[in-house]
Amino acid sequence: KELSLNKIMPTLIAEYEEKKQKQNIYHYKGMEGIKTVLRDINNYKEYDAFGISSNLGKIVPFYFPHWVRERKEKKLFGRMIKTEDDKLGTPALVGLESYKKMFHVKEVPKEFYTPAATFIYGNKVAILLEEAENAVAVVIENKDIAEGYRKQFMAMWDSAKEENMDIY
């Protein structure tokens, strides 16, 4: 019995460790908090995001260009959903061709605007309130929650239309 148990024990331990998920919740305030979250996002090859707006560049105006350039240097990619006619500042920072390589952007009607942007990256979900006076971010680190948000993102992505490049 002991030999049989010793044979299957590594498999049982591996399954147990896989089920025991890492989960954390972090709360950030103000410009420095938003910068902390953006730095964390740049540690991942790609992200999906919805609720994106031009407000992010206004919250961290001096850091935002650095963040975008770092994404370009590291060849990071993002899929984003924004509201129509919201002119993002990113194409002006990196040029339209680089912007198209770095991001795939789709749009939803204006009535779906929200001041909260949601980024899904790795096993994390970051929700940023993009208001200069009350900038706040919450990051949830949990594989199941991140996967759930990715499914929601894909449902929105499939129904969103391609970004109108004529506004740039």
Side-chain angles (χ1 to χ4, degrees), residues 11-107:
T11 304
L12 293 173
I13 291 171
E15 285 183 28
Y16 173 76
E17 291 298 323
E18 187 177 315
K19 299 271 187 224
K20 192 171 72 174
Q21 276 193 26
K22 181 179 182 182
Q23 59 185 26
N24 291 300
I25 298 174
Y26 305 95
H27 178 257
Y28 302 93
K29 288 184 178 181
M31 284 187 351
E32 289 304 314
I34 299 298
K35 286 165 48 175
T36 298
V37 174
L38 292 175
R39 281 187 206 103
D40 189 38
I41 291 169
N42 274 4
N43 289 323
Y44 293 81
K45 188 78 176 148
E46 56 188 42
Y47 71 79
D48 292 328
F50 58 91
I52 298 302
S53 75
S54 55
N55 292 339
L56 186 58
K58 296 171 188 166
I59 295 172
V60 286
F62 301 109
Y63 179 70
F64 188 73
H66 170 75
W67 182 71
V68 172
R69 280 190 218 101
E70 182 181 354
R71 294 194 63 73
K72 182 179 178 180
E73 289 168 12
K74 289 182 169 182
K75 294 181 171 54
L76 305 177
F77 183 74
R79 291 188 301 181
M80 302 185 294
I81 300 171
K82 68 176 189 71
T83 55
E84 59 192 3
D85 297 332
D86 186 7
K87 188 176 178 179
L88 301 177
T90 314
L93 291 173
V94 296
L96 206 49
E97 287 307 309
S98 290
Y99 173 74
K100 289 178 183 179
K101 289 177 187 172
M102 296 168 59
F103 302 100
H104 185 177
V105 181
K106 288 192 173 185
E107 298 177 331

Side-chain angles (χ1 to χ4, degrees), residues 28 34 37 116-119 121 125-129 136-140 149:
Y28 302 93
I34 299 298
V37 174
T118 303
F119 289 80
Y121 57 103
V125 175
I127 303 167
L128 284 65
L129 181 60
V136 65
V138 175
V139 177
I140 304 167
Y149 269 85

